[in-house]
Structure formats: structure tokens, C-alpha cells
Amino acid sequence: AKPELRNFRLYDEEVDVDRDPQNEVQVWGAHTELDVDLGEWNVNWLTAFRAYDTDSQFDGDFSQYNAVISDTREDLEQVSTELRLQSPLGDFMDFTTGLFFYYMNHETIGHIGFEQDYADIFATPFEPLINNDNHTYRTYSYASYGQFNLNLAEWVRFTGGLRLTYEQKTIEGSQVSTSNVPAPPVSGPDVFRDDSRDSTNLSGTARVQFFPTEDTMVYASFASGFKSGGFNQLRVSQAAPDEFDDEQALSYELGARSTWLDGLVTLNLTGFFTDYEDFQAQSFSGTDIVVRNAGSFFSYGVESDLILAPIENLIWRTSLGFNITEYQEFEEA
């Protein structure tokens, strides 16, 4: 006889844990902007403050066993300010230049508790195992930049820019475990940290735009960029990296922007290729989530937009994209 098949839902919104998850988040902030016209020159000063607090807790063993519980509390404040000067729009040349500063203070407190059902595995007198991590992470970022446009002819424009960035990141704190029950690889020897790292980068961009008609623009562009390295802040296993390096990227684009039939049709098309070195990728090892540097990574594709406005008060938009990303080298992914 055929076995009776039960009718069930694969995703029935039921979970099997002995402790309900919790995640409380508070976010707030403020910003001010000062915009001053000095004749044809423009000065803009923008300052912003943001902060958030979080308190989260989850069942670390994802089951009905009273084995693992984890909670994390975070307190973050950040402030940024930028002063920008823009020249008059010139027939041949115009430019924008500015200064930027950013500061972040990020405090985290994390606990991983291994409880009675975990200790029973080892049949030893139970002492609560609590991994405590307490860290303060600070970032100081300074930058100066400039960008200019050269109108070489009525039908061609060249844009170039440079940005010089210096960043310093520091971490202070400890990771301490207390128990007679082994819990590798999460609970290891106690770690006390007082480290810092510095990054300096000069990035730039260049773009050439051609205007064969009043309603068509074709361009080619190149840009370089970076994301500074840092520290894995929360409790991690002994095998996980506690630091990751700067990420570098080179981006190339070819594209066109056009309107047709007196604005009834708009068609945009872009092809791109971006090559990353030391890409900062989040990875889950089974015991922790950390940032690692992938040796090489690239992304390329084509994106398009089509906008139709056949009659007044009616606009139809559609877009199509084809994107591919691929790791070429990623040790210990």
C-alpha cells in the first residue's frame, strides 16, 4: 500500500526555539544646511548628526534546547560636516571644491551564554559560560576634493576630479570567557585590544561627454574608489580574522541619454564594468559573521530605461537590467 502523504506547508511561519527573539531599535538625528550666494559664486555648508541604539537577543542554538543564548547592545553616534565652494558656470570652465570631515563613536556589548543543556553534554559540574565582549570603535575621516568641467566645444565636454582621503580607525575593548566547560571555537583565550589603523587614498574620475544633437548625449567614464579597512568588532571565533584591509575599485562606463519626438520618448542605456581588489565581503562561518577580504571580484552588465509620455498626465516607465557578478579569488570563503 502506498504511504499516506501528509499535506503540509513548507514555510508555515513556525519556529522551534525556547526563547523569543527580540530586537529594539531607536534612531534619531538632525541636520543643518547653510547656502550662501556670493554674486555668481555659491558656498554650501552641510552638517549632520545621527545616532541609534539597539538591543537584540536570539536563541543561539535555534532549537528547543536550553543551550545557547546571545544578546547584543549597540550605541552609535556619528557627525559629519562638509564645506563646498562652487564657481560660476563658465562658457569654458567651472569647478566645485570642498572639505569633508566625519567622526563616528560605536560602542558594543555582547554576550553569548552556554546554558544547562550544553553543559550536560560534557557531564561536568556546571558553571555558566558567558562570553563577554565590550568594545569602543572610533572612526576619523578627513577629505578634500575638487572637480572641474571643460567645455571644449559645443558638442564635447570633459570632466575630471580628484579626492584625497585620510582615515583613522581605533578599537578598544576585550573579549573574556568564564567557565570550566569547553566551547570551541567561540570561547577561546581572553583577548584585550587597543589597536588602530590608518588609510590614505587618492581617487579620481574622468568623463568625456559628446552631444551629437540637442537631444542626445553619449559618454565614456572612468572612476576609482576605495573603502577603508577596519576591525571585526563583536565576538568572533579564534580562527576568524579580527581585521580586514582596504577595498579598491575601478569602474568603467559607456552610455547614452536621449529624448525623441519632442520629449514623448526618453531612452537611456548604460554598460558598466567594475573591478574590485580586496572586496570586503560578509561571510558566515557557522559560529560567527565576519568581514573578510576577497582577493578579486568583478561586476558587469547593461542597464536601460524607457519612458513614454504619449499624452498629458500619463507617463509609462520601464527598465531592463542584465548584471553579472563573480568572485575570481576568495580564500576561506
Side-chain angles (χ1 to χ4, degrees):
K2 291 184 178 180
E4 182 180 352
L5 298 178
R6 293 190 305 158
N7 186 18
F8 67 94
R9 293 173 58 194
L10 183 59
Y11 302 105
D12 56 6
E13 301 179 358
E14 293 182 3
V15 295
D16 192 30
V17 296
D18 65 316
R19 195 177 305 236
D20 289 336
Q22 164 187 316
N23 190 34
E24 298 179 359
V25 181
Q26 292 182 330
V27 182
W28 65 95
H31 77 274
T32 62
E33 183 173 3
L34 178 64
D35 199 79
V36 179
D37 289 325
L38 303 175
E40 295 183 343
W41 295 75
N42 177 264
V43 178
N44 181 268
W45 184 21
L46 178 64
T47 300
F49 172 80
R50 292 290 184 271
Y52 74 78
D53 295 328
T54 67
D55 189 353
S56 61
Q57 174 182 285
F58 69 95
D59 184 6
D61 55 83
F62 309 104
S63 72
Q64 280 290 335
Y65 288 104
N66 182 26
V68 182
I69 184 67
S70 177
D71 68 84
T72 303
R73 294 193 299 274
E74 298 186 62
D75 183 7
L76 181 144
E77 297 92 24
Q78 63 183 28
V79 62
S80 63
T81 185
E82 181 174 0
L83 181 63
R84 183 175 59 193
L85 174 66
Q86 184 172 348
S87 73
L89 296 178
D91 293 335
F92 177 70
M93 180 179 130
D94 53 77
F95 67 88
T96 299
T97 185
L99 300 172
F100 175 82
F101 171 73
Y102 170 83
Y103 169 75
M104 181 190 73
N105 185 84
H106 189 191
E107 298 179 0
T108 62
I109 300 176
H111 304 94
I112 301 179
F114 292 83
E115 303 187 10
Q116 188 64 57
D117 287 343
Y118 182 90
D120 289 345
I121 298 173
F122 300 94
T124 58
F126 176 66
E127 293 183 11
L129 168 57
I130 301 178
N131 294 330
N132 300 297
D133 59 87
N134 191 333
H135 289 98
T136 299
Y137 188 37
R138 295 186 177 94
T139 298
Y140 305 84
S141 180
Y142 310 84
S144 60
Y145 61 87
Q147 180 170 301
F148 63 91
N149 298 308
L150 293 180
N151 299 307
L152 302 177
E154 290 186 0
W155 53 274
V156 60
R157 176 187 298 159
F158 175 79
T159 300
L162 289 174
R163 181 185 182 95
L164 178 63
T165 303
Y166 169 77
E167 288 196 3
Q168 181 185 61
K169 295 184 177 181
T170 66
I171 185 171
E172 299 177 16
S174 62
Q175 300 180 0
V176 179
S177 302
T178 58
S179 180
N180 65 333
V181 177
V186 177
S187 65
D190 296 342
V191 177
F192 299 89
R193 305 188 65 185
D194 186 2
D195 298 325
S196 66
R197 57 174 293 129
D198 302 88
S199 299
T200 302
N201 176 265
L202 180 64
S203 56
T205 184
R207 181 174 66 246
V208 178
Q209 296 171 284
F210 299 95
F211 303 86
T213 68
E214 292 183 356
D215 299 323
T216 305
M217 185 269 287
V218 180
Y219 75 95
S221 69
F222 163 80
S224 64
F226 99 115
K227 184 190 297 182
S228 62
F231 303 95
N232 281 305
Q233 188 163 357
L234 300 178
R235 181 83 197 190
V236 297
S237 64
Q238 299 177 53
D242 57 5
E243 189 172 347
F244 50 91
D245 292 328
D246 297 347
E247 173 187 313
Q248 308 281 340
L250 300 176
S251 179
Y252 308 85
E253 281 192 19
L254 287 174
R257 307 289 184 262
S258 63
T259 58
W260 305 83
L261 303 177
D262 295 326
L264 295 181
V265 179
T266 299
L267 177 62
N268 301 322
L269 184 66
T270 303
F272 66 91
F273 178 87
T274 305
D275 185 16
Y276 297 88
E277 293 294 331
D278 293 323
F279 179 75
Q280 296 172 7
Q282 278 195 343
S283 59
F284 179 57
S285 68
T287 58
D288 44 49
I289 299 175
V290 297
V291 177
R292 298 176 184 270
N293 289 107
S296 184
F297 173 84
F298 64 78
S299 175
Y300 64 92
V302 177
E303 295 181 349
S304 62
D305 298 292
L306 176 63
I307 303 174
L308 303 179
I311 60 175
E312 189 177 358
N313 299 324
L314 176 63
I315 297 177
W316 183 76
R317 303 171 184 265
T318 186
S319 62
L320 180 66
F322 178 75
N323 305 309
I324 291 179
T325 58
E326 181 178 338
Y327 287 102
Q328 296 172 292
E329 180 184 355
F330 193 175
E331 296 181 2
E332 300 181 9

